[in-house]
Amino acid sequence: MNKDKRESRADNLIKDNLRRAFDDKASEELPTELIALLAQLRDQDDQNGTK
Amino acid sequence: MVQSDFEGSMDPRDELVTHMGVLRAFALSLCRNSATADDLVQDTVMKAWKSIGSFEKGTNMRAWLFTILRNTYYTNHRKTRREVMDSDGHFAATMSVKPEHDGALAMTDFLVAFNQLPDEQREAITLVGASGFAYQEAAEMCGVATGTMKSRVNRARQKLVELLDLSDEDSMELTDTGTMAVLTAHLPVRRA
């Protein structure tokens, strides 16, 4: 395997794993604390009449 | 990064919620600790919500949120520099990825290597390689020149190649340690 092909394959392996790790975390359910915070901020805006 | 018309016409607060998943993934790539990452996301959300009026509709909200998050991270990081963030390698354990036993690079091995990169390199390769930002966008978010961002991504890639031993043809078919143990269990033991 020549050097260019080796480098290209290494790059692809790294990109695949990087994206898989990122996408997997990004698709997790949001923690309840974060959902509660978003709801609280939304409620505050509603009470203050903020749009 | 292309911004859709749909996102451009949304209430920014509604749009903000749609970026929570990627924001958590970016936070974890910086913090390497799930609890710290979730705290960082909460701080970021509160700051973003407070200054939502300054967000320009139709511009890139993801970049805006990532910038707030990284600024918050580095501010906090300077305060707690002496803390050990991941002394026991907890980051790898918090990533709920499923290693594939198909001869591809094992995720656990990858994450251990990824964790060893310096902050600026982890950030650079995550922004460009995983989050889909162009070099120029990532550079603007980090307040550096585009050339500097390219250099950081390249150094991160080179370091990962080195740590994962991907420069050698024979080591390109990596698998995780557990699978290797099974695969090599039947090999004859050489005795002295």
Side-chain angles (χ1 to χ4, degrees), chain B residues 120-121 124-125 128 133-140 142 144-158:
Chain B
E120 63 181 28
Q121 290 180 20
I125 202 167
V128 174
F133 289 105
Y135 283 110
Q136 189 182 345
E137 290 174 315
E140 283 172 12
C142 298
V144 297
T146 304
T148 303
M149 182 53 62
K150 285 181 180 174
S151 171
R152 286 179 182 177
V153 171
N154 197 40
R155 284 205 302 274
R157 188 198 67 82
Q158 286 173 345

mmCIF file with all atom_site columns, all heavy atoms in Angstrom, chain B residues 120-121 124-125 128 133-140 142 144-158:
data_model
loop_
_atom_site.group_PDB
_atom_site.id
_atom_site.type_symbol
_atom_site.label_atom_id
_atom_site.label_alt_id
_atom_site.label_comp_id
_atom_site.label_asym_id
_atom_site.label_entity_id
_atom_site.label_seq_id
_atom_site.pdbx_PDB_ins_code
_atom_site.Cartn_x
_atom_site.Cartn_y
_atom_site.Cartn_z
_atom_site.occupancy
_atom_site.B_iso_or_equiv
_atom_site.pdbx_formal_charge
_atom_site.auth_seq_id
_atom_site.auth_comp_id
_atom_site.auth_asym_id
_atom_site.auth_atom_id
_atom_site.pdbx_PDB_model_num
ATOM 1   N N   . GLU B 1 120 ? -6.953  22.485 22.203 1.00 0.00 ? 120 GLU B N   1
ATOM 2   C CA  . GLU B 1 120 ? -7.160  23.210 20.943 1.00 0.00 ? 120 GLU B CA  1
ATOM 3   C C   . GLU B 1 120 ? -7.239  22.248 19.749 1.00 0.00 ? 120 GLU B C   1
ATOM 4   O O   . GLU B 1 120 ? -7.915  22.535 18.765 1.00 0.00 ? 120 GLU B O   1
ATOM 5   C CB  . GLU B 1 120 ? -6.061  24.250 20.721 1.00 0.00 ? 120 GLU B CB  1
ATOM 6   C CG  . GLU B 1 120 ? -4.675  23.695 20.574 1.00 0.00 ? 120 GLU B CG  1
ATOM 7   C CD  . GLU B 1 120 ? -3.617  24.785 20.385 1.00 0.00 ? 120 GLU B CD  1
ATOM 8   O OE1 . GLU B 1 120 ? -3.836  25.902 20.878 1.00 0.00 ? 120 GLU B OE1 1
ATOM 9   O OE2 . GLU B 1 120 ? -2.595  24.508 19.757 1.00 0.00 ? 120 GLU B OE2 1
ATOM 10  N N   . GLN B 1 121 ? -6.573  21.105 19.846 1.00 0.00 ? 121 GLN B N   1
ATOM 11  C CA  . GLN B 1 121 ? -6.638  20.138 18.751 1.00 0.00 ? 121 GLN B CA  1
ATOM 12  C C   . GLN B 1 121 ? -7.937  19.337 18.795 1.00 0.00 ? 121 GLN B C   1
ATOM 13  O O   . GLN B 1 121 ? -8.537  19.056 17.760 1.00 0.00 ? 121 GLN B O   1
ATOM 14  C CB  . GLN B 1 121 ? -5.428  19.201 18.797 1.00 0.00 ? 121 GLN B CB  1
ATOM 15  C CG  . GLN B 1 121 ? -4.125  19.891 18.437 1.00 0.00 ? 121 GLN B CG  1
ATOM 16  C CD  . GLN B 1 121 ? -2.934  18.961 18.491 1.00 0.00 ? 121 GLN B CD  1
ATOM 17  O OE1 . GLN B 1 121 ? -3.058  17.746 18.437 1.00 0.00 ? 121 GLN B OE1 1
ATOM 18  N NE2 . GLN B 1 121 ? -1.747  19.536 18.618 1.00 0.00 ? 121 GLN B NE2 1
ATOM 19  N N   . ALA B 1 124 ? -10.537 21.680 17.447 1.00 0.00 ? 124 ALA B N   1
ATOM 20  C CA  . ALA B 1 124 ? -10.410 21.914 16.004 1.00 0.00 ? 124 ALA B CA  1
ATOM 21  C C   . ALA B 1 124 ? -10.927 20.725 15.201 1.00 0.00 ? 124 ALA B C   1
ATOM 22  O O   . ALA B 1 124 ? -11.725 20.887 14.264 1.00 0.00 ? 124 ALA B O   1
ATOM 23  C CB  . ALA B 1 124 ? -8.946  22.192 15.656 1.00 0.00 ? 124 ALA B CB  1
ATOM 24  N N   . ILE B 1 125 ? -10.517 19.538 15.587 1.00 0.00 ? 125 ILE B N   1
ATOM 25  C CA  . ILE B 1 125 ? -10.913 18.372 14.785 1.00 0.00 ? 125 ILE B CA  1
ATOM 26  C C   . ILE B 1 125 ? -12.391 18.042 14.988 1.00 0.00 ? 125 ILE B C   1
ATOM 27  O O   . ILE B 1 125 ? -13.049 17.516 14.094 1.00 0.00 ? 125 ILE B O   1
ATOM 28  C CB  . ILE B 1 125 ? -9.993  17.156 15.086 1.00 0.00 ? 125 ILE B CB  1
ATOM 29  C CG1 . ILE B 1 125 ? -10.033 16.180 13.910 1.00 0.00 ? 125 ILE B CG1 1
ATOM 30  C CG2 . ILE B 1 125 ? -10.320 16.488 16.393 1.00 0.00 ? 125 ILE B CG2 1
ATOM 31  C CD1 . ILE B 1 125 ? -8.961  15.118 13.940 1.00 0.00 ? 125 ILE B CD1 1
ATOM 32  N N   . VAL B 1 128 ? -14.338 20.818 12.775 1.00 0.00 ? 128 VAL B N   1
ATOM 33  C CA  . VAL B 1 128 ? -14.206 20.622 11.327 1.00 0.00 ? 128 VAL B CA  1
ATOM 34  C C   . VAL B 1 128 ? -14.572 19.192 10.908 1.00 0.00 ? 128 VAL B C   1
ATOM 35  O O   . VAL B 1 128 ? -15.271 18.985 9.919  1.00 0.00 ? 128 VAL B O   1
ATOM 36  C CB  . VAL B 1 128 ? -12.763 20.962 10.875 1.00 0.00 ? 128 VAL B CB  1
ATOM 37  C CG1 . VAL B 1 128 ? -12.552 20.625 9.407  1.00 0.00 ? 128 VAL B CG1 1
ATOM 38  C CG2 . VAL B 1 128 ? -12.472 22.436 11.130 1.00 0.00 ? 128 VAL B CG2 1
ATOM 39  N N   . PHE B 1 133 ? -18.333 22.223 10.304 1.00 0.00 ? 133 PHE B N   1
ATOM 40  C CA  . PHE B 1 133 ? -17.972 23.614 10.042 1.00 0.00 ? 133 PHE B CA  1
ATOM 41  C C   . PHE B 1 133 ? -16.811 23.675 9.044  1.00 0.00 ? 133 PHE B C   1
ATOM 42  O O   . PHE B 1 133 ? -15.933 22.806 9.042  1.00 0.00 ? 133 PHE B O   1
ATOM 43  C CB  . PHE B 1 133 ? -17.556 24.321 11.334 1.00 0.00 ? 133 PHE B CB  1
ATOM 44  C CG  . PHE B 1 133 ? -18.694 24.583 12.272 1.00 0.00 ? 133 PHE B CG  1
ATOM 45  C CD1 . PHE B 1 133 ? -18.867 23.819 13.411 1.00 0.00 ? 133 PHE B CD1 1
ATOM 46  C CD2 . PHE B 1 133 ? -19.618 25.588 12.011 1.00 0.00 ? 133 PHE B CD2 1
ATOM 47  C CE1 . PHE B 1 133 ? -19.930 24.042 14.272 1.00 0.00 ? 133 PHE B CE1 1
ATOM 48  C CE2 . PHE B 1 133 ? -20.685 25.825 12.873 1.00 0.00 ? 133 PHE B CE2 1
ATOM 49  C CZ  . PHE B 1 133 ? -20.841 25.055 14.000 1.00 0.00 ? 133 PHE B CZ  1
ATOM 50  N N   . ALA B 1 134 ? -16.841 24.712 8.215  1.00 0.00 ? 134 ALA B N   1
ATOM 51  C CA  . ALA B 1 134 ? -15.719 24.949 7.311  1.00 0.00 ? 134 ALA B CA  1
ATOM 52  C C   . ALA B 1 134 ? -14.544 25.470 8.152  1.00 0.00 ? 134 ALA B C   1
ATOM 53  O O   . ALA B 1 134 ? -14.743 25.973 9.263  1.00 0.00 ? 134 ALA B O   1
ATOM 54  C CB  . ALA B 1 134 ? -16.118 25.980 6.264  1.00 0.00 ? 134 ALA B CB  1
ATOM 55  N N   . TYR B 1 135 ? -13.347 25.343 7.609  1.00 0.00 ? 135 TYR B N   1
ATOM 56  C CA  . TYR B 1 135 ? -12.166 25.820 8.339  1.00 0.00 ? 135 TYR B CA  1
ATOM 57  C C   . TYR B 1 135 ? -12.337 27.283 8.762  1.00 0.00 ? 135 TYR B C   1
ATOM 58  O O   . TYR B 1 135 ? -12.007 27.666 9.871  1.00 0.00 ? 135 TYR B O   1
ATOM 59  C CB  . TYR B 1 135 ? -10.907 25.692 7.475  1.00 0.00 ? 135 TYR B CB  1
ATOM 60  C CG  . TYR B 1 135 ? -10.364 24.296 7.382  1.00 0.00 ? 135 TYR B CG  1
ATOM 61  C CD1 . TYR B 1 135 ? -10.433 23.572 6.206  1.00 0.00 ? 135 TYR B CD1 1
ATOM 62  C CD2 . TYR B 1 135 ? -9.738  23.693 8.488  1.00 0.00 ? 135 TYR B CD2 1
ATOM 63  C CE1 . TYR B 1 135 ? -9.917  22.282 6.107  1.00 0.00 ? 135 TYR B CE1 1
ATOM 64  C CE2 . TYR B 1 135 ? -9.232  22.413 8.412  1.00 0.00 ? 135 TYR B CE2 1
ATOM 65  C CZ  . TYR B 1 135 ? -9.324  21.705 7.216  1.00 0.00 ? 135 TYR B CZ  1
ATOM 66  O OH  . TYR B 1 135 ? -8.810  20.436 7.133  1.00 0.00 ? 135 TYR B OH  1
ATOM 67  N N   . GLN B 1 136 ? -12.846 28.077 7.828  1.00 0.00 ? 136 GLN B N   1
ATOM 68  C CA  . GLN B 1 136 ? -12.980 29.508 8.103  1.00 0.00 ? 136 GLN B CA  1
ATOM 69  C C   . GLN B 1 136 ? -13.974 29.768 9.237  1.00 0.00 ? 136 GLN B C   1
ATOM 70  O O   . GLN B 1 136 ? -13.726 30.601 10.117 1.00 0.00 ? 136 GLN B O   1
ATOM 71  C CB  . GLN B 1 136 ? -13.427 30.242 6.834  1.00 0.00 ? 136 GLN B CB  1
ATOM 72  C CG  . GLN B 1 136 ? -13.376 31.751 6.976  1.00 0.00 ? 136 GLN B CG  1
ATOM 73  C CD  . GLN B 1 136 ? -13.859 32.471 5.729  1.00 0.00 ? 136 GLN B CD  1
ATOM 74  O OE1 . GLN B 1 136 ? -13.968 31.869 4.660  1.00 0.00 ? 136 GLN B OE1 1
ATOM 75  N NE2 . GLN B 1 136 ? -14.149 33.743 5.843  1.00 0.00 ? 136 GLN B NE2 1
ATOM 76  N N   . GLU B 1 137 ? -15.089 29.035 9.210  1.00 0.00 ? 137 GLU B N   1
ATOM 77  C CA  . GLU B 1 137 ? -16.089 29.194 10.280 1.00 0.00 ? 137 GLU B CA  1
ATOM 78  C C   . GLU B 1 137 ? -15.502 28.787 11.626 1.00 0.00 ? 137 GLU B C   1
ATOM 79  O O   . GLU B 1 137 ? -15.669 29.486 12.630 1.00 0.00 ? 137 GLU B O   1
ATOM 80  C CB  . GLU B 1 137 ? -17.314 28.325 9.985  1.00 0.00 ? 137 GLU B CB  1
ATOM 81  C CG  . GLU B 1 137 ? -18.154 28.787 8.817  1.00 0.00 ? 137 GLU B CG  1
ATOM 82  C CD  . GLU B 1 137 ? -19.273 27.802 8.487  1.00 0.00 ? 137 GLU B CD  1
ATOM 83  O OE1 . GLU B 1 137 ? -19.010 26.575 8.450  1.00 0.00 ? 137 GLU B OE1 1
ATOM 84  O OE2 . GLU B 1 137 ? -20.399 28.254 8.263  1.00 0.00 ? 137 GLU B OE2 1
ATOM 85  N N   . ALA B 1 138 ? -14.828 27.650 11.640 1.00 0.00 ? 138 ALA B N   1
ATOM 86  C CA  . ALA B 1 138 ? -14.223 27.161 12.888 1.00 0.00 ? 138 ALA B CA  1
ATOM 87  C C   . ALA B 1 138 ? -13.168 28.150 13.386 1.00 0.00 ? 138 ALA B C   1
ATOM 88  O O   . ALA B 1 138 ? -13.057 28.405 14.593 1.00 0.00 ? 138 ALA B O   1
ATOM 89  C CB  . ALA B 1 138 ? -13.605 25.786 12.664 1.00 0.00 ? 138 ALA B CB  1
ATOM 90  N N   . ALA B 1 139 ? -12.418 28.709 12.455 1.00 0.00 ? 139 ALA B N   1
ATOM 91  C CA  . ALA B 1 139 ? -11.378 29.678 12.826 1.00 0.00 ? 139 ALA B CA  1
ATOM 92  C C   . ALA B 1 139 ? -12.002 30.919 13.461 1.00 0.00 ? 139 ALA B C   1
ATOM 93  O O   . ALA B 1 139 ? -11.515 31.420 14.480 1.00 0.00 ? 139 ALA B O   1
ATOM 94  C CB  . ALA B 1 139 ? -10.565 30.055 11.587 1.00 0.00 ? 139 ALA B CB  1
ATOM 95  N N   . GLU B 1 140 ? -13.099 31.395 12.862 1.00 0.00 ? 140 GLU B N   1
ATOM 96  C CA  . GLU B 1 140 ? -13.784 32.574 13.412 1.00 0.00 ? 140 GLU B CA  1
ATOM 97  C C   . GLU B 1 140 ? -14.320 32.285 14.814 1.00 0.00 ? 140 GLU B C   1
ATOM 98  O O   . GLU B 1 140 ? -14.218 33.110 15.716 1.00 0.00 ? 140 GLU B O   1
ATOM 99  C CB  . GLU B 1 140 ? -14.937 32.990 12.490 1.00 0.00 ? 140 GLU B CB  1
ATOM 100 C CG  . GLU B 1 140 ? -14.470 33.729 11.245 1.00 0.00 ? 140 GLU B CG  1
ATOM 101 C CD  . GLU B 1 140 ? -15.608 33.963 10.263 1.00 0.00 ? 140 GLU B CD  1
ATOM 102 O OE1 . GLU B 1 140 ? -16.782 33.770 10.635 1.00 0.00 ? 140 GLU B OE1 1
ATOM 103 O OE2 . GLU B 1 140 ? -15.310 34.319 9.106  1.00 0.00 ? 140 GLU B OE2 1
ATOM 104 N N   . CYS B 1 142 ? -13.142 30.280 16.951 1.00 0.00 ? 142 CYS B N   1
ATOM 105 C CA  . CYS B 1 142 ? -12.037 30.141 17.917 1.00 0.00 ? 142 CYS B CA  1
ATOM 106 C C   . CYS B 1 142 ? -11.153 31.384 17.964 1.00 0.00 ? 142 CYS B C   1
ATOM 107 O O   . CYS B 1 142 ? -10.187 31.426 18.736 1.00 0.00 ? 142 CYS B O   1
ATOM 108 C CB  . CYS B 1 142 ? -11.189 28.919 17.574 1.00 0.00 ? 142 CYS B CB  1
ATOM 109 S SG  . CYS B 1 142 ? -12.111 27.376 17.676 1.00 0.00 ? 142 CYS B SG  1
ATOM 110 N N   . VAL B 1 144 ? -9.080  32.552 15.676 1.00 0.00 ? 144 VAL B N   1
ATOM 111 C CA  . VAL B 1 144 ? -7.737  32.363 15.110 1.00 0.00 ? 144 VAL B CA  1
ATOM 112 C C   . VAL B 1 144 ? -7.808  32.471 13.586 1.00 0.00 ? 144 VAL B C   1
ATOM 113 O O   . VAL B 1 144 ? -8.900  32.483 13.008 1.00 0.00 ? 144 VAL B O   1
ATOM 114 C CB  . VAL B 1 144 ? -7.147  30.979 15.503 1.00 0.00 ? 144 VAL B CB  1
ATOM 115 C CG1 . VAL B 1 144 ? -6.970  30.866 17.005 1.00 0.00 ? 144 VAL B CG1 1
ATOM 116 C CG2 . VAL B 1 144 ? -8.010  29.832 14.972 1.00 0.00 ? 144 VAL B CG2 1
ATOM 117 N N   . ALA B 1 145 ? -6.651  32.521 12.952 1.00 0.00 ? 145 ALA B N   1
ATOM 118 C CA  . ALA B 1 145 ? -6.605  32.577 11.492 1.00 0.00 ? 145 ALA B CA  1
ATOM 119 C C   . ALA B 1 145 ? -6.989  31.218 10.911 1.00 0.00 ? 145 ALA B C   1
ATOM 120 O O   . ALA B 1 145 ? -6.822  30.181 11.570 1.00 0.00 ? 145 ALA B O   1
ATOM 121 C CB  . ALA B 1 145 ? -5.205  32.960 11.032 1.00 0.00 ? 145 ALA B CB  1
ATOM 122 N N   . THR B 1 146 ? -7.491  31.241 9.673  1.00 0.00 ? 146 THR B N   1
ATOM 123 C CA  . THR B 1 146 ? -7.887  29.986 9.025  1.00 0.00 ? 146 THR B CA  1
ATOM 124 C C   . THR B 1 146 ? -6.695  29.024 8.924  1.00 0.00 ? 146 THR B C   1
ATOM 125 O O   . THR B 1 146 ? -6.838  27.817 9.131  1.00 0.00 ? 146 THR B O   1
ATOM 126 C CB  . THR B 1 146 ? -8.456  30.272 7.618  1.00 0.00 ? 146 THR B CB  1
ATOM 127 O OG1 . THR B 1 146 ? -9.532  31.203 7.744  1.00 0.00 ? 146 THR B OG1 1
ATOM 128 C CG2 . THR B 1 146 ? -8.979  29.018 6.963  1.00 0.00 ? 146 THR B CG2 1
ATOM 129 N N   . GLY B 1 147 ? -5.537  29.565 8.630  1.00 0.00 ? 147 GLY B N   1
ATOM 130 C CA  . GLY B 1 147 ? -4.328  28.738 8.534  1.00 0.00 ? 147 GLY B CA  1
ATOM 131 C C   . GLY B 1 147 ? -4.006  28.050 9.858  1.00 0.00 ? 147 GLY B C   1
ATOM 132 O O   . GLY B 1 147 ? -3.558  26.896 9.885  1.00 0.00 ? 147 GLY B O   1
ATOM 133 N N   . THR B 1 148 ? -4.240  28.767 10.943 1.00 0.00 ? 148 THR B N   1
ATOM 134 C CA  . THR B 1 148 ? -3.998  28.188 12.274 1.00 0.00 ? 148 THR B CA  1
ATOM 135 C C   . THR B 1 148 ? -4.948  27.032 12.524 1.00 0.00 ? 148 THR B C   1
ATOM 136 O O   . THR B 1 148 ? -4.569  25.991 13.059 1.00 0.00 ? 148 THR B O   1
ATOM 137 C CB  . THR B 1 148 ? -4.185  29.270 13.365 1.00 0.00 ? 148 THR B CB  1
ATOM 138 O OG1 . THR B 1 148 ? -3.313  30.352 13.076 1.00 0.00 ? 148 THR B OG1 1
ATOM 139 C CG2 . THR B 1 148 ? -3.898  28.721 14.749 1.00 0.00 ? 148 THR B CG2 1
ATOM 140 N N   . MET B 1 149 ? -6.213  27.221 12.116 1.00 0.00 ? 149 MET B N   1
ATOM 141 C CA  . MET B 1 149 ? -7.204  26.151 12.295 1.00 0.00 ? 149 MET B CA  1
ATOM 142 C C   . MET B 1 149 ? -6.811  24.925 11.475 1.00 0.00 ? 149 MET B C   1
ATOM 143 O O   . MET B 1 149 ? -6.871  23.791 11.964 1.00 0.00 ? 149 MET B O   1
ATOM 144 C CB  . MET B 1 149 ? -8.586  26.672 11.880 1.00 0.00 ? 149 MET B CB  1
ATOM 145 C CG  . MET B 1 149 ? -9.727  25.682 12.048 1.00 0.00 ? 149 MET B CG  1
ATOM 146 S SD  . MET B 1 149 ? -9.887  24.942 13.692 1.00 0.00 ? 149 MET B SD  1
ATOM 147 C CE  . MET B 1 149 ? -10.202 26.383 14.709 1.00 0.00 ? 149 MET B CE  1
ATOM 148 N N   . LYS B 1 150 ? -6.370  25.148 10.230 1.00 0.00 ? 150 LYS B N   1
ATOM 149 C CA  . LYS B 1 150 ? -5.952  24.024 9.386  1.00 0.00 ? 150 LYS B CA  1
ATOM 150 C C   . LYS B 1 150 ? -4.779  23.294 10.022 1.00 0.00 ? 150 LYS B C   1
ATOM 151 O O   . LYS B 1 150 ? -4.711  22.066 10.021 1.00 0.00 ? 150 LYS B O   1
ATOM 152 C CB  . LYS B 1 150 ? -5.552  24.535 7.990  1.00 0.00 ? 150 LYS B CB  1
ATOM 153 C CG  . LYS B 1 150 ? -6.733  24.908 7.125  1.00 0.00 ? 150 LYS B CG  1
ATOM 154 C CD  . LYS B 1 150 ? -6.276  25.377 5.750  1.00 0.00 ? 150 LYS B CD  1
ATOM 155 C CE  . LYS B 1 150 ? -7.481  25.753 4.891  1.00 0.00 ? 150 LYS B CE  1
ATOM 156 N NZ  . LYS B 1 150 ? -7.085  26.343 3.599  1.00 0.00 ? 150 LYS B NZ  1
ATOM 157 N N   . SER B 1 151 ? -3.867  24.072 10.564 1.00 0.00 ? 151 SER B N   1
ATOM 158 C CA  . SER B 1 151 ? -2.691  23.492 11.206 1.00 0.00 ? 151 SER B CA  1
ATOM 159 C C   . SER B 1 151 ? -3.091  22.659 12.427 1.00 0.00 ? 151 SER B C   1
ATOM 160 O O   . SER B 1 151 ? -2.561  21.560 12.651 1.00 0.00 ? 151 SER B O   1
ATOM 161 C CB  . SER B 1 151 ? -1.747  24.633 11.597 1.00 0.00 ? 151 SER B CB  1
ATOM 162 O OG  . SER B 1 151 ? -0.714  24.154 12.387 1.00 0.00 ? 151 SER B OG  1
ATOM 163 N N   . ARG B 1 152 ? -4.036  23.161 13.209 1.00 0.00 ? 152 ARG B N   1
ATOM 164 C CA  . ARG B 1 152 ? -4.483  22.417 14.405 1.00 0.00 ? 152 ARG B CA  1
ATOM 165 C C   . ARG B 1 152 ? -5.159  21.104 14.018 1.00 0.00 ? 152 ARG B C   1
ATOM 166 O O   . ARG B 1 152 ? -4.941  20.074 14.651 1.00 0.00 ? 152 ARG B O   1
ATOM 167 C CB  . ARG B 1 152 ? -5.457  23.283 15.223 1.00 0.00 ? 152 ARG B CB  1
ATOM 168 C CG  . ARG B 1 152 ? -4.768  24.398 15.976 1.00 0.00 ? 152 ARG B CG  1
ATOM 169 C CD  . ARG B 1 152 ? -5.770  25.251 16.743 1.00 0.00 ? 152 ARG B CD  1
ATOM 170 N NE  . ARG B 1 152 ? -5.098  26.348 17.424 1.00 0.00 ? 152 ARG B NE  1
ATOM 171 C CZ  . ARG B 1 152 ? -5.730  27.291 18.119 1.00 0.00 ? 152 ARG B CZ  1
ATOM 172 N NH1 . ARG B 1 152 ? -7.038  27.268 18.223 1.00 0.00 ? 152 ARG B NH1 1
ATOM 173 N NH2 . ARG B 1 152 ? -5.046  28.245 18.715 1.00 0.00 ? 152 ARG B NH2 1
ATOM 174 N N   . VAL B 1 153 ? -5.997  21.171 12.986 1.00 0.00 ? 153 VAL B N   1
ATOM 175 C CA  . VAL B 1 153 ? -6.678  19.954 12.535 1.00 0.00 ? 153 VAL B CA  1
ATOM 176 C C   . VAL B 1 153 ? -5.650  18.946 12.033 1.00 0.00 ? 153 VAL B C   1
ATOM 177 O O   . VAL B 1 153 ? -5.713  17.751 12.347 1.00 0.00 ? 153 VAL B O   1
ATOM 178 C CB  . VAL B 1 153 ? -7.710  20.269 11.423 1.00 0.00 ? 153 VAL B CB  1
ATOM 179 C CG1 . VAL B 1 153 ? -8.256  18.985 10.797 1.00 0.00 ? 153 VAL B CG1 1
ATOM 180 C CG2 . VAL B 1 153 ? -8.855  21.103 11.986 1.00 0.00 ? 153 VAL B CG2 1
ATOM 181 N N   . ASN B 1 154 ? -4.675  19.432 11.296 1.00 0.00 ? 154 ASN B N   1
ATOM 182 C CA  . ASN B 1 154 ? -3.653  18.546 10.749 1.00 0.00 ? 154 ASN B CA  1
ATOM 183 C C   . ASN B 1 154 ? -2.801  17.915 11.844 1.00 0.00 ? 154 ASN B C   1
ATOM 184 O O   . ASN B 1 154 ? -2.497  16.727 11.813 1.00 0.00 ? 154 ASN B O   1
ATOM 185 C CB  . ASN B 1 154 ? -2.772  19.328 9.766  1.00 0.00 ? 154 ASN B CB  1
ATOM 186 C CG  . ASN B 1 154 ? -1.984  18.395 8.869  1.00 0.00 ? 154 ASN B CG  1
ATOM 187 O OD1 . ASN B 1 154 ? -2.511  17.374 8.423  1.00 0.00 ? 154 ASN B OD1 1
ATOM 188 N ND2 . ASN B 1 154 ? -0.728  18.713 8.626  1.00 0.00 ? 154 ASN B ND2 1
ATOM 189 N N   . ARG B 1 155 ? -2.476  18.722 12.840 1.00 0.00 ? 155 ARG B N   1
ATOM 190 C CA  . ARG B 1 155 ? -1.677  18.186 13.957 1.00 0.00 ? 155 ARG B CA  1
ATOM 191 C C   . ARG B 1 155 ? -2.479  17.157 14.753 1.00 0.00 ? 155 ARG B C   1
ATOM 192 O O   . ARG B 1 155 ? -1.948  16.142 15.197 1.00 0.00 ? 155 ARG B O   1
ATOM 193 C CB  . ARG B 1 155 ? -1.208  19.319 14.880 1.00 0.00 ? 155 ARG B CB  1
ATOM 194 C CG  . ARG B 1 155 ? -0.050  20.124 14.309 1.00 0.00 ? 155 ARG B CG  1
ATOM 195 C CD  . ARG B 1 155 ? 0.760   20.782 15.420 1.00 0.00 ? 155 ARG B CD  1
ATOM 196 N NE  . ARG B 1 155 ? -0.049  21.655 16.261 1.00 0.00 ? 155 ARG B NE  1
ATOM 197 C CZ  . ARG B 1 155 ? -0.312  22.931 16.003 1.00 0.00 ? 155 ARG B CZ  1
ATOM 198 N NH1 . ARG B 1 155 ? 0.192   23.492 14.918 1.00 0.00 ? 155 ARG B NH1 1
ATOM 199 N NH2 . ARG B 1 155 ? -1.054  23.657 16.809 1.00 0.00 ? 155 ARG B NH2 1
ATOM 200 N N   . ALA B 1 156 ? -3.770  17.426 14.898 1.00 0.00 ? 156 ALA B N   1
ATOM 201 C CA  . ALA B 1 156 ? -4.643  16.469 15.605 1.00 0.00 ? 156 ALA B CA  1
ATOM 202 C C   . ALA B 1 156 ? -4.691  15.148 14.839 1.00 0.00 ? 156 ALA B C   1
ATOM 203 O O   . ALA B 1 156 ? -4.575  14.067 15.422 1.00 0.00 ? 156 ALA B O   1
ATOM 204 C CB  . ALA B 1 156 ? -6.049  17.051 15.754 1.00 0.00 ? 156 ALA B CB  1
ATOM 205 N N   . ARG B 1 157 ? -4.845  15.249 13.525 1.00 0.00 ? 157 ARG B N   1
ATOM 206 C CA  . ARG B 1 157 ? -4.904  14.042 12.696 1.00 0.00 ? 157 ARG B CA  1
ATOM 207 C C   . ARG B 1 157 ? -3.601  13.251 12.793 1.00 0.00 ? 157 ARG B C   1
ATOM 208 O O   . ARG B 1 157 ? -3.606  12.030 12.985 1.00 0.00 ? 157 ARG B O   1
ATOM 209 C CB  . ARG B 1 157 ? -5.173  14.429 11.234 1.00 0.00 ? 157 ARG B CB  1
ATOM 210 C CG  . ARG B 1 157 ? -5.450  13.267 10.320 1.00 0.00 ? 157 ARG B CG  1
ATOM 211 C CD  . ARG B 1 157 ? -5.260  13.648 8.865  1.00 0.00 ? 157 ARG B CD  1
ATOM 212 N NE  . ARG B 1 157 ? -3.869  13.940 8.546  1.00 0.00 ? 157 ARG B NE  1
ATOM 213 C CZ  . ARG B 1 157 ? -2.959  13.006 8.275  1.00 0.00 ? 157 ARG B CZ  1
ATOM 214 N NH1 . ARG B 1 157 ? -3.298  11.745 8.282  1.00 0.00 ? 157 ARG B NH1 1
ATOM 215 N NH2 . ARG B 1 157 ? -1.709  13.335 7.998  1.00 0.00 ? 157 ARG B NH2 1
ATOM 216 N N   . GLN B 1 158 ? -2.492  13.977 12.694 1.00 0.00 ? 158 GLN B N   1
ATOM 217 C CA  . GLN B 1 158 ? -1.189  13.313 12.765 1.00 0.00 ? 158 GLN B CA  1
ATOM 218 C C   . GLN B 1 158 ? -0.990  12.630 14.120 1.00 0.00 ? 158 GLN B C   1
ATOM 219 O O   . GLN B 1 158 ? -0.458  11.524 14.203 1.00 0.00 ? 158 GLN B O   1
ATOM 220 C CB  . GLN B 1 158 ? -0.063  14.317 12.518 1.00 0.00 ? 158 GLN B CB  1
ATOM 221 C CG  . GLN B 1 158 ? 0.049   14.736 11.058 1.00 0.00 ? 158 GLN B CG  1
ATOM 222 C CD  . GLN B 1 158 ? 1.061   15.847 10.849 1.00 0.00 ? 158 GLN B CD  1
ATOM 223 O OE1 . GLN B 1 158 ? 1.481   16.504 11.797 1.00 0.00 ? 158 GLN B OE1 1
ATOM 224 N NE2 . GLN B 1 158 ? 1.430   16.067 9.607  1.00 0.00 ? 158 GLN B NE2 1
#
